[in-house]
Structure formats: C-alpha cells, structure tokens
Amino acid sequence: MENISAAPETQIKETSFLSLNPSTLEVIGEVANTSREEIDDKIEKAQKAQKRWAARPDAERKEIILKVAEALQQNSKHLAAWITREQGKPLSGPGANFEMQACVGWTQVPASLDVPEEIVFEDETRKDILYRNPIGVVAAIAPWNWPLMIAIWQIIPSLRMGNAVVIKPSEYTTFCTQEMIKVINTVLPEDILQVITGRGEVGSYLTSHPEIGKIMFTGSIATGKKVIEASVKNMARLTLECGGNDAGIILPGFDVSKHIDQLFWAAFLNMGQTCACLKRLYVHENDYEKVVKALTDYSSHIPMGDGADEASILGPIQNKMQYDKILDLILDSEKNGADVLFRGQKPDLEGYFIPVTLIGNVDNGHRIVDEEQFGPVLPIIQYKTLEEAITKANNSENGLGASVWSDDLNEAQKVAAQLQAGTVWINQHGAIHPLVPFGGAKQSGYGVEFGIEGLKAVSLPKVISIKK
C-alpha cells in the first residue's frame, strides 16, 4: 500500500500533493511531504521524550493510555466523519463508527494487561529473571484501508511498553489519521507520539533511520520486502503484516442460509479492502448453485453510495490505483472465460465505486484467484474432493487467514489444521480480538500483534542471571 524505497539517501522531491474524497472526488486538502530535516528533528524529540516516558511507573502509563481511550470515545463521531470523508467507508453498518469503537477497544485492552518479570529458571545455584524493556523509538507505517484502527494497533502497544512512536499515515488517508493523533496528543506527554506525512520516500527515510529500533508495517508483500531492506540500515526489529489472499472452504452439505450474514461480510467488509477478508471461496460442486444463490440474494439488498449518506452500507474503493487494479482483474477474468454470477448496482456518483461482484467458472491459475484483489469481488471455485480444496487453498504465497464453514465442528477442525495460515476461523472469517495474537504465515509477514504476545513484540527481552 506504500511505495517505500530502501535507500536512506532518497531525496524527498515533492513538497505536497492532494487528498481526495473517494465518494465525490472533491479535494480535501493538500498533504505536505515532511522533509528529512523535520524527520530528524521529530525522531530526536521522540528519543528524549521516550526516556522520560519509560521512567514513569508502569501504573501511570496504563492510566494515561486509559485516558487516551476516553478521549477517542469522546471524539468518536468527529473522527468517524473524517474516516468517511477521506477513506470512504460509510458511517453506517460495519464502517467508520465501527472502526472508531475498535480504536477505543484496542486502546483499553493493552492498558489492562501486564507483562511482569518472569523467573525462567531457578535451582540451588542460580536464578534467571526475564524482563521486558522498551526498545526506544518505534516507526509505524499505517495503511489506508483501516487508517485509524491499524494505527492504534501500532501506537498503543508500543506506548504501553514504554516506547515512543513516529507514525507515517498512508498518503491516501493522511488527514483522518492526523486528526486522531491530535486527539491522542491532548492526553499524552509532549513529543512521545510524532507524526510525519508524505509519499513513499518519506517512509523510506523513516524506516532506514539509524535511531529507529522497531518498525511496524501493514501493507503489501512488495512494500514489506522494501521495509525489510530498509531495516538492514538500522537492524530494527520488525512486525510485518503484508496482506492476505484468504481462502475459505465450505464443507459439503453446509447450511449456508444460517450463516449468510457472516459469509457476506467475511468477503465484503470495508468493500473487501481488508487484509483478512475472504478472497477465495471453495465450494463443493453439489452445493455450488445453492451458495451462489444465497450470496446473490443477500448482496442484492445491501445499498451502496456516498458513505456520508446514512442509507449507505457499502462505499467506494479508497483510491484510483486500487480501483484500476480491481477493474483490471475483473476484465481479465471475463476475457479468460469466467462468468459474472452477480454484479450489484453502481451508484450514480463520480467516485471510485465498484459494485459487489461474484465471479464463477474460475480456478487456481486465474489472476482473480491467485492475486489479492482487495476489493468487492469474490471468485467462487468448485471442488470435487476436500483434498483438492485444501491443496488449492494452500496454493498461495499468502498465509494470513483462512476459514472453514461446516455444520460439523469436529470435521471443520480437522480441515482447519491442514490450512497454512496464521489464523483459521470456523464459521466466521476475519474475527480478530484484542486479546488473541494475530499474524501471518508465508509471505503475509512475520511477528504478531494483539494481547500479551503483541506487547512482547514491542519490547526487548533482557535476562538478569544471578549466581547464588
């Protein structure tokens, strides 16, 4: 999602560019590219603030973060309106207000958790104690699909463990993220959370900066690899969430009617612009028509339009780059013999709208199946045997999430155990939780977020070994 070069000497050439409302294409404002000198200054301030922040008692840091949650709650309507205006997701349904409630929850939970020292070994001769110390300054690269929620995932655990954060929002959703940072900084001590803005070269300079100790990134595989290259300059620790092409398998005989709501939103939450959305659906040939009909009937009743209209439940694609990519994948599938099983009604608006689209007569090997479309398009693939479905589901460079849908939970768990993904859901998909570790397998990244494991990931283990 970001275009980050690994070279720290990259020049920041542009001074500014425009941000657009994806529903109306109106200009929201001009985004400045933060200069290298400004980035240096912000990192230096963050370093000094981090030492003061880490010196505070743990209970005090927890109390401050809980006050951050209160501030987010108090400003949730204001921030949700900004999300809708710049990111595009509707206020209604699982949209901008939903995102803001997630921001509050994912702030409260880390503040409620403790990571105490641990006696890892003790006998009559020695005692070894494992402590978790702050890393220093964390560089956070936030994406455009959930610009506030994912920024919170990066910011709050880092602060909770005594770090400072310098965050770069996506170039496509700068203003809404900045608005949230303003709210958070009414509570936090000065300089502990800094924001820089701009295109990929700004992120390049930040991630390769010698004073960065940890990088948290959510985005594409290609950009994730560039972040890895950048980290060679500073040996920064990494947490990478590089997207997914999540597969779902419906086991034979599944009563889809009981779960159609969950199945639809598994694929089309945030217009499919979610890393852990269902992006490939494998259905037994005997159940294919039934599943297609259920999804078609449900999809035809979900209204799409400008997210500011409370009647809208689905909104636009966030930016033209992604819009063009999705249209290209749909066109390619049609050229190669795919069937458009359903195409929803496109609203009469100028924005980047693509209606919900169900694609049939496709298989592994088609681009629409093999590539992460990251949009409101779902290829539905028929299979004859479960072994075939499992093999095809695993045939991907991605491994973020997967799901199994069945009325037989024991059978579903057997299939889930064979799927290559960081999380496999049963009769749900993308159901993340702030206490449950979340991360990818294969090229979907490494490291985990959320819960105790997520807090450990933004700290340094230190052992003190005592000879008795």
Side-chain angles (χ1 to χ4, degrees):
M1 295 177 194
E2 303 290 329
N3 181 22
I4 296 175
S5 165
E9 66 273 10
T10 298
Q11 295 299 311
I12 299 172
K13 299 174 184 177
E14 287 182 296
T15 57
S16 65
F17 52 93
L18 300 179
S19 178
L20 303 179
N21 180 324
S23 287
T24 64
L25 305 190
E26 71 165 334
V27 174
I28 295 173
E30 197 170 9
V31 180
N33 267 322
T34 305
S35 70
R36 291 174 57 167
E37 293 74 21
E38 289 177 282
I39 296 170
D40 290 342
D41 181 61
K42 286 176 181 285
I43 292 175
E44 183 179 357
K45 288 179 177 177
Q47 282 183 295
K48 293 176 180 177
Q50 186 272 327
K51 291 179 173 61
R52 298 190 296 269
W53 176 245
R56 290 178 180 244
D58 190 60
E60 188 177 323
R61 292 202 302 267
K62 291 171 68 173
E63 183 180 353
I64 291 171
I65 292 172
L66 285 173
K67 289 179 180 178
V68 169
E70 291 175 7
L72 291 172
Q73 183 66 66
Q74 292 165 2
N75 291 273
S76 61
K77 288 187 178 179
H78 167 71
L79 294 174
W82 265 105
I83 294 170
T84 295
R85 187 180 178 196
E86 191 173 32
Q87 197 281 333
K89 61 170 66 76
L91 291 166
S92 302
N97 284 305
F98 171 84
E99 179 167 356
M100 280 312 305
Q101 289 311 302
C103 289
V104 174
W106 257 274
T107 301
Q108 293 170 329
V109 169
S112 72
L113 299 176
D114 292 305
V115 188
E117 64 269 18
E118 178 185 357
I119 298 174
V120 292
F121 179 78
E122 185 172 16
D123 65 9
E124 64 277 4
T125 65
R126 63 184 287 167
K127 181 179 181 180
D128 296 87
I129 309 168
L130 174 64
Y131 296 87
R132 290 281 170 178
N133 291 343
I135 296 172
V137 180
V138 175
I141 307 293
W144 49 259
N145 57 334
W146 295 91
L148 272 59
M149 181 180 73
I150 294 179
I152 285 292
W153 295 353
Q154 299 170 336
I155 293 167
I156 297 302
S158 298
L159 295 178
R160 170 70 188 85
M161 297 306 288
N163 302 292
V165 177
V166 179
I167 186 166
K168 190 191 93 65
S170 168
E171 63 203 68
Y172 296 111
T173 50
T174 299
F175 287 110
C176 62
T177 310
Q178 281 184 309
E179 285 296 308
M180 183 179 73
I181 301 302
K182 289 178 187 176
V183 169
I184 294 174
N185 275 336
T186 63
V187 177
L188 291 179
E190 188 176 9
D191 295 335
I192 197 68
L193 173 60
Q194 302 276 347
V195 60
I196 63 174
T197 62
R199 296 195 188 275
E201 60 267 26
V202 174
S204 168
Y205 188 71
L206 172 65
T207 52
S208 58
H209 197 283
E211 302 305 326
I212 294 299
K214 169 83 182 186
I215 303 169
M216 300 191 74
F217 168 80
T218 297
S220 68
I221 291 174
T223 307
K225 290 179 178 179
K226 291 178 181 178
V227 171
I228 294 170
E229 293 172 12
S231 73
V232 171
K233 306 294 180 182
N234 52 25
M235 292 287 285
R237 279 73 179 162
L238 298 175
T239 297
L240 305 177
E241 197 268 81
C242 297
N245 192 12
D246 289 14
I249 300 175
I250 295 182
L251 301 195
F254 176 64
D255 187 353
V256 70
S257 65
K258 293 181 180 179
H259 301 272
I260 190 62
D261 181 75
Q262 293 93 333
L263 188 61
F264 175 86
W265 289 112
F268 300 113
L269 178 68
N270 194 29
M271 292 297 291
Q273 299 170 118
T274 299
C275 296
C277 260
L278 171 61
K279 300 187 177 82
R280 299 176 286 147
L281 183 60
Y282 295 88
V283 181
H284 191 269
E285 58 187 3
N286 292 342
D287 298 321
Y288 180 76
E289 297 297 335
K290 177 178 65 176
V291 171
V292 169
K293 185 179 188 306
L295 278 170
T296 296
D297 290 347
Y298 192 92
S299 301
S300 63
H301 293 97
I302 307 297
M304 174 184 289
D306 187 336
D309 182 346
E310 291 187 359
S312 299
I313 303 298
L314 294 173
I317 303 305
Q318 200 285 319
N319 57 76
K320 191 173 189 303
M321 171 198 70
Q322 192 61 31
Y323 175 81
D324 289 342
K325 175 184 175 182
I326 297 164
L327 290 181
D328 178 61
L329 286 172
I330 294 172
L331 181 61
D332 178 80
S333 68
E334 291 182 274
K335 284 182 177 178
N336 286 283
D339 299 324
V340 176
L341 305 170
F342 171 80
R343 180 179 281 135
Q345 185 67 38
K346 183 178 180 180
D348 187 19
L349 295 167
E350 291 189 16
Y352 302 128
F353 290 94
I354 296 176
V356 168
T357 305
L358 305 177
I359 302 288
N361 194 28
V362 288
D363 206 340
N364 287 48
H366 288 81
R367 286 181 60 209
I368 196 72
V369 176
D370 293 352
E371 298 180 23
E372 181 186 19
Q373 68 272 33
F374 215 69
V377 184
L378 180 64
I380 305 175
I381 304 105
Q382 298 185 58
Y383 69 86
K384 294 181 181 294
T385 68
L386 266 180
E387 290 74 18
E388 174 194 352
I390 293 167
T391 298
K392 289 181 176 179
N394 286 335
N395 184 22
S396 173
E397 65 180 357
N398 297 93
L400 186 60
S403 58
V404 182
W405 303 75
S406 176
D407 297 321
D408 184 337
L409 295 183
N410 289 328
E411 184 65 21
Q413 289 181 69
K414 292 177 184 177
V415 174
Q418 300 176 66
L419 295 179
Q420 299 166 359
T423 302
V424 182
W425 294 278
I426 294 176
N427 294 342
Q428 56 183 353
H429 196 112
I432 55 175
H433 189 283
L435 287 171
V436 179
F438 177 68
K442 297 193 277 190
Q443 293 198 46
S444 285
Y446 43 75
V448 296
E449 300 173 271
F450 312 162
I452 294 294
E453 294 304 314
L455 292 179
K456 290 179 178 179
V458 286
S459 68
L460 287 176
K462 179 177 180 178
V463 172
I464 295 181
S465 185
I466 304 164
K467 179 179 173 59
K468 292 183 178 179

